[in-house]
Amino acid sequence: MNATNKNSFAFVQVAVPTPLHQLFDYRWRGSEAVVVGSRVAVPFGRRSMVGIVVRGLSESAYPANKLRAVTEVLDSEPLLPEDVMSLLEWASRYYHHPIGDVLCSALPVLLRQGKPAALMQREIYRFNAQSTAEPPSEKKASLQFSVFSLLREADGEAVDASSLANLSPRWRSAVKPLVERGLIEPDSSMVLPSNSAVDTGPVLLPEQQTAVTAITSELGSFKPFLLNGVTGSGKTEVYLRCIEAALKQQQQILILVPEIALTPQLMRRFQRRITGCLVSLHSALNATERMQNWLLAAKGHADVVIGTRSAVLVPLPRLGLIIIDEEHDGSLKQQDGFRYHARDLAMVRARNRSCPVVLGTATASFESLHNAATGRYTELNLTQRAGDATPPNMALLDIRRRPLIEGMSDRLFDAIEKHLAAGNQALVFINRRGFAPTLLCNDCGACADCRRCDAHMTVHAKRARLRCHHCGSERPVPEQCESCGSLELDRLGYGTERIAAALEERFPDVSVARIDRDSTRRKGALQSQLDAATSGEARLLVGTQMLAKGHHFPGVTLVCILDADRGLFGTDFRALEQMGQLIIQVAGRSGREEKQGSVLVQTRNPDNPIMQTLVTDGYAAFAKVALDDRRLAMLPPYAYVALIRAEAPDMNSPMRFLQGVSQRLLNPPVAGVSVLGPVSAPMERLGGKYRAQLLLQAERRSLLNEALSRLTVNLDSLPNAKKTRWSIDVDPVDLF
Ligand code: ADP
Ligand code: ZN
Ligand code: ZN
C-alpha cells in the first residue's frame, strides 16, 4: 500500500543524493497524486537532480515562497515499494548514512539518471532442429559448444540473451557463427527470459531432507536458518529444493552469492535446475542489462534473482525466500559510501516480509554462530560430504629448520609428486599475488616503497613492474637501489607468480594454472583457467583466495597451504576468523569425489593451540576457542562497535578533526560506550592521504546508536572538518 493521497498535499519531501543527513522540501504541483517511492526531477543548487519522493506534506516547516517546485514527475508508479523504502530508511538510521544517498544507491545507474523505467524487448535465440550443419566441437570451440548445448537442451524453447550472457561475457562472439551456419535462430519478440530445467536433482541424504523440510515448512513466516554444511555436503542441493518449493507457491526467491563472475559453475547449475524466469544482478552486467534485470525483478516478472551484495536492495513484490550462500564472505559488506552488510539487511527485510532466510556456509561467521548459540537462528547441520566423497585429512607441516626451496619444504614437494604420480591434481594456495612482496637492497636495507602509501611495492616479474596492492600505483622494477644505487637487490618473500614458476621448474612435464586477479584480468581468462582446472588439463593449480570460492575441481586430491601463519599474527580483530575460514574453504577443494583428499598446512607455529584445534578438530571447535577470546576482549559479536575514519592530504587534519569528534562524544559521555582513540590508521598513508580513526565500543546496540546520532548533526562545524573526508562504519568488518 503506498500513500497515494490525491490532491491534499501542497509539498513533498524528497531524498536527493547528497552527503547531507536530511530530506528536502519542495512545492508539489496541485492536482497530481503524490506517489511515495517514485522519482522526480528537482532543482538543487544550480543543478537539476533526480530524487525520490519520501512523503507528501500538507505543510512545510519552511515558508512556501522559499521553496522551489518539483520540475518533473518521472514515474507514475512507485519505483521503490513501501517495504524497500522502509528497509532503506531503517538502514539510513542504523548505518548513519545520508538518506538521499541510501535511497538513490538502491537504484541501478540508469534509473538514478532519470531514464524511463520501462522494460526492453528481449533478444532471444532458438535451436534449429532442421539444420544439417556440423555442430561445434567441444574441444575446438568450447564457448560455441556451450551456447549450442544450452539451446539444444532447451528443446525448441526460446533462450534469452541474458542466459547466454551468463555463460560468458564473450557470448556474442559464439552466437554469431552459430547463427551464420543456421544451427540456431535469432528472434526478438517480446518475451520474458524463461529458463527450463534440464535436470532433476539426486535423492536427498537424510540430513539434507531434514534441512529442506525445516525450511520449506516455514515458507510464509520469518525464520532465520544457519545451514552449516561442511564443504561438499550438498548445501546447493538444499537451496535448489527450497527454491522449487517456493516457486510452487508463486514466490520470488532472492539468492545472494559472493561473486558471480568467480562462480560460473554455480550459475550454470541453477540454470540446469530451475524452471522459471531467472535473472542475475552483478557487476559484470552493463548498465542496460542491469536496469533490465532490476526491472524484471521489481515488476515481479523474475522468479529467481541471483545476485551479489546490492541485490539485497532490489524490490521483489512476491518475495518468499532469501538464501545467502557463503554467508561468512567479506564481500557481503559494502566497504565504501553506504557501508551496509547485505546479510544484516536481508534479515531485516525477511522480517518485514515474513519469509525465511537461509544462511549457508561451511565456515560460519562468528556473528552467525553467536546468533545460533543464542537461539536467534535455527541451526541445520550437514555433517557429511554428499556422494562418495569423504572429508580430507588435514595435517600441519612443520617447516622450522627444514630446507626450503622457494618457500616450499621438501616434504611438500614429495607430497605433490606422489599425488601427481597417482594421476591426480594438486592445488597450492598462497594468498598473495605477484612474484615477491618486497624488493630489498642488500647494501643499504632500503625497500622499494609506494610513494603514496605506507607499504612496500610488490614485484611483478613477468611484467617487470613494481605494483602497490593498496593504491594501484606502478613503476618499472629498478635495476639499482632507488636509495643508494646498489645493484644488490633481493626479491624477498613469495607470491603466486613465484610459486608457479618454482613448480614449473620442479615439475617441467605438467601444466600449471595460476589463478589470481592478475592472471584473470583479461576477459575470458578466468573461465579458461577454471576449465583447465576442472578438466584436469592443468595438473597443478596455484592461486589466491579466488581458488577457495566454491569451485569443484574433481581431480584435486592434495591442497597445500603456504602462508597460513600470517593470520595468526594479523593486526585486525577478524584476522584469525578469516584465517580459519580461508584454510577450511581451500581445504574443501580437496578430494571432492571418490578419491581421498589431503591437506598440508605449512607452518612455523606447529604448537600453536588454535592452529592445532583448527586442523585436528575442525572449524566449529576452532570458532569456539576464538569466540572466547572475542568475549574477553569485548569485541563483536559480544559488543557493538563502530569505526569513524577520517582522511586528508595533510597529516594533522584527520587527528584534529577526530579529537573534536571525540570531545563531542564525551561531553557528556554516553554511559556504556567507550571511545578509543583517535589513533593513526594501521596503514597511516594510503593513496596519498593520511588516515586516522576513532573506535566506539558499546555494550548495547542502542547505546552505540545514541552516540552515533550526535555525529550526524553539524559535524562540519568542527575544526578541520572542511579539510577532512570522514565516514562512519557501523559493524566494520575490519579496523583498517
Ligand atoms: P556444497 O554446496 O555444500 O559445497 P554441493 O551442493 O555443491 O555442496 O554438492 C557437492 C557435490 O555433491 C555436487 O557434485 C553435488 O551434485 C553432489 N550432491 C549433492 N547432494 C547429493 C545427493 N543427495 N546425492 C548425491 N550427490 C549429491
Ligand atoms: Zn640501497
Ligand atoms: Zn600505494
Side-chain angles (χ1 to χ4, degrees):
M1 283 305 128
N2 272 278
T4 49
N5 195 338
K6 289 216 167 63
N7 301 338
S8 61
F9 296 122
F11 308 96
V12 282
Q13 278 194 321
V14 178
V16 182
T18 71
L20 297 169
H21 285 264
Q22 65 175 92
L23 297 167
F24 296 88
D25 290 7
Y26 287 90
R27 276 188 284 122
W28 184 247
R29 314 186 294 191
S31 59
E32 272 175 87
V34 169
V35 181
V36 172
S38 67
R39 293 170 304 161
V40 287
V42 292
F44 195 84
R46 270 184 245 153
R47 299 202 289 147
S48 171
M49 286 179 107
V50 174
I52 294 166
V53 176
V54 174
R55 62 182 64 87
L57 297 173
S58 316
E59 282 172 53
S60 168
Y62 301 92
N65 58 0
K66 288 263 168 68
L67 292 180
R68 298 158 86 182
V70 165
T71 24
E72 197 183 345
V73 175
L74 299 172
D75 303 305
S76 54
E77 285 167 49
L79 203 51
L80 296 175
E82 196 180 69
D83 73 308
V84 175
M85 288 292 281
S86 70
L87 174 74
L88 294 170
E89 288 179 78
W90 176 88
S92 163
R93 289 192 300 273
Y94 182 88
Y95 291 107
H96 296 269
H97 194 77
I99 178 74
D101 208 39
V102 170
L103 287 181
C104 294
S105 65
L107 297 178
V109 171
L110 294 180
L111 294 179
R112 232 180 285 166
Q113 292 167 351
K115 294 275 181 323
L119 280 166
M120 294 172 303
Q121 280 220 332
R122 307 294 301 181
E123 178 186 0
I124 58 173
Y125 293 89
R126 267 178 229 285
F127 174 62
N128 178 10
Q130 266 76 52
S131 169
T132 51
E134 176 85 351
S137 119
E138 181 166 17
K139 281 229 170 71
K140 292 202 193 109
S142 73
L143 185 56
Q144 277 188 42
F145 178 79
S146 304
V147 169
F148 178 75
S149 309
L150 188 72
L151 292 172
R152 188 178 47 193
E153 281 163 11
D155 212 14
E157 293 283 318
V159 172
D160 190 79
S162 71
S163 306
L164 296 174
N166 286 331
L167 289 175
S168 158
R170 295 173 296 124
W171 67 279
R172 278 186 193 281
S173 70
V175 159
K176 202 160 159 258
L178 292 174
V179 171
E180 279 165 9
R181 277 152 56 206
L183 285 162
I184 65 172
E185 293 170 331
D187 195 337
S188 64
S189 53
M190 180 74 177
V191 287
L192 296 171
S194 74
N195 192 69
S196 19
V198 292
D199 245 2
T200 52
V203 178
L204 293 181
L205 298 168
E207 284 180 329
Q208 285 176 315
Q209 187 58 58
T210 306
V212 170
T213 309
I215 296 163
T216 52
S217 64
E218 295 293 338
L219 288 174
S221 47
F222 171 63
K223 188 151 178 108
F225 293 96
L226 177 61
L227 179 63
N228 233 326
V230 299
T231 51
S233 59
K235 292 182 291 293
T236 312
E237 201 51 52
V238 171
Y239 306 154
L240 287 164
R241 299 301 165 98
C242 296
I243 292 167
E244 282 165 12
L247 283 174
K248 280 213 185 89
Q249 304 196 11
Q250 273 74 49
Q251 293 170 335
Q252 285 178 301
I253 298 105
L254 172 65
I255 307 159
L256 299 180
V257 297
E259 263 174 285
I260 289 179
L262 289 183
T263 50
Q265 281 177 338
L266 185 73
M267 198 63 208
R268 277 200 294 272
R269 204 156 146 202
F270 280 103
Q271 278 174 337
R272 294 184 66 81
R273 290 288 299 281
I274 292 169
T275 297
C277 175
L278 174 66
V279 303
S280 60
L281 281 168
H282 52 88
S283 57
L285 300 178
N286 67 32
T288 316
E289 292 165 335
R290 212 181 153 75
M291 173 169 82
Q292 178 75 1
N293 287 358
W294 192 93
L295 287 169
L296 284 169
K299 290 180 189 285
H301 296 307
D303 297 307
V304 179
V305 176
I306 171 161
T308 43
R309 177 176 68 224
S310 66
V312 76
L313 306 174
V314 174
L316 293 160
R318 301 183 281 122
L319 177 64
L321 174 65
I322 303 179
I323 294 166
I324 304 184
D325 188 30
E326 311 292 0
E327 66 87 30
H328 63 276
D329 197 281
S331 71
L332 287 166
K333 172 79 196 278
Q334 169 91 20
Q335 296 277 37
D336 55 20
F338 169 31
R339 292 172 165 80
Y340 62 92
H341 202 299
R343 181 184 60 222
D344 298 334
L345 286 187
M347 219 39 84
V348 177
R349 191 161 185 195
R351 181 186 291 277
N352 293 346
R353 292 295 296 267
S354 298
C355 76
V357 189
V358 180
L359 308 179
T361 177
T363 51
S365 65
F366 285 8
E367 272 75 10
S368 295
L369 286 176
H370 182 62
N371 281 326
T374 52
R376 263 172 294 215
Y377 297 172
T378 302
E379 204 167 336
L380 300 167
N381 293 301
L382 307 179
T383 54
Q384 275 156 28
R385 282 189 157 183
D388 301 323
T390 49
N393 297 320
M394 283 184 84
L396 289 173
L397 201 57
D398 183 357
I399 55 168
R400 291 171 304 176
R401 297 180 295 276
R402 301 288 303 194
L404 296 181
I405 301 169
E406 296 291 64
M408 292 174 277
S409 75
D410 45 352
R411 283 154 66 197
L412 195 83
F413 281 118
D414 291 347
I416 294 176
E417 195 157 352
K418 209 179 92 203
H419 283 259
L420 289 178
N424 300 323
Q425 289 166 283
L427 183 159
V428 179
F429 170 80
I430 176 161
N431 207 13
R432 223 171 208 161
R433 62 206 165 83
F435 188 84
T438 311
L439 185 67
L440 174 84
C441 170
N442 266 331
D443 279 330
C444 76
C447 296
D449 285 332
C450 176
R451 292 173 188 138
R452 309 173 69 222
C453 306
D454 293 329
H456 298 323
M457 299 293 273
T458 300
V459 182
H460 286 252
K462 283 216 180 91
R463 294 169 56 234
R465 308 281 286 173
L466 292 178
R467 199 161 210 285
C468 172
H469 286 183
H470 302 279
C471 73
S473 356
E474 278 196 29
R475 57 183 191 259
V477 177
E479 295 192 351
Q480 297 182 309
C481 170
E482 291 162 332
S483 305
C484 76
S486 160
L487 293 167
E488 296 293 311
L489 296 179
D490 248 359
R491 301 183 292 186
L492 228 60
Y494 307 95
T496 44
E497 200 186 340
R498 185 169 201 167
I499 297 298
L503 290 170
E504 272 166 359
E505 193 170 318
R506 174 78 182 234
F507 302 102
D509 303 330
V510 307
S511 122
V512 177
R514 173 162 69 92
I515 300 187
D516 58 31
R517 253 198 293 150
D518 300 314
S519 71
T520 56
R521 218 170 288 261
R522 221 170 12 88
K523 266 201 167 179
L526 175 67
Q527 187 57 52
S528 66
Q529 303 275 67
L530 289 178
D531 287 348
T534 311
S535 70
E537 179 197 325
R539 305 280 306 285
L540 273 169
L541 318 176
V542 177
T544 57
Q545 55 180 328
M546 275 175 95
L547 270 183
K549 305 216 174 193
H551 305 294
H552 183 71
F553 305 128
V556 171
T557 52
L558 174 67
V559 163
C560 309
I561 298 175
L562 298 192
D563 57 352
D565 288 345
R566 262 210 293 166
L568 287 177
F569 309 107
T571 47
D572 202 79
F573 81 95
R574 275 185 221 268
L576 190 62
E577 175 183 356
Q578 283 160 359
M579 176 202 77
Q581 291 167 343
L582 203 50
I583 289 181
I584 298 295
Q585 291 291 342
V586 182
R589 299 315 110 209
S590 183
R592 289 174 65 90
E593 299 213 333
E594 65 279 8
K595 290 181 204 152
Q596 173 67 45
S598 311
V599 181
L600 292 174
V601 184
Q602 279 203 162
T603 179
R604 288 197 167 82
N605 301 278
D607 305 324
N608 182 291
I610 190 93
M611 191 69 118
Q612 283 184 342
T613 306
L614 179 68
V615 166
T616 342
D617 305 327
Y619 184 77
F622 157 84
K624 215 170 183 151
V625 178
L627 268 163
D628 275 341
D629 288 348
R630 292 271 188 93
R631 192 203 316 268
L632 294 174
M634 271 294 283
L635 283 165
Y638 300 99
Y640 303 93
V641 302
L643 192 67
I644 300 160
R645 296 188 180 86
E647 60 170 44
D650 71 289
M651 195 191 273
N652 296 324
S653 297
M655 277 300 229
R656 294 216 182 104
F657 170 76
L658 288 179
Q659 272 149 9
V661 172
S662 165
Q663 284 308 310
R664 189 186 277 196
L665 290 169
L666 294 170
N667 294 310
V670 180
V673 179
S674 335
V675 178
L676 307 172
V679 293
S680 311
M683 182 184 295
E684 185 175 15
R685 209 164 47 102
L686 177 72
K689 302 259 174 59
Y690 289 85
R691 309 181 312 146
Q693 58 195 33
L694 190 70
L695 184 70
L696 272 62
Q697 209 170 2
E699 297 157 18
R700 290 215 312 272
R701 161 86 55 211
S702 57
L703 299 173
L704 182 68
N705 204 32
E706 187 187 328
L708 289 172
S709 300
R710 283 196 205 166
L711 295 185
T712 49
V713 242
N714 259 337
L715 213 55
D716 289 333
S717 62
L718 289 180
N720 295 67
K722 295 254 150 46
K723 291 192 214 151
T724 311
R725 249 186 59 164
W726 58 277
S727 63
I728 299 175
D729 193 352
V730 178
D731 308 333
V733 292
D734 59 50
L735 305 183
F736 206 58

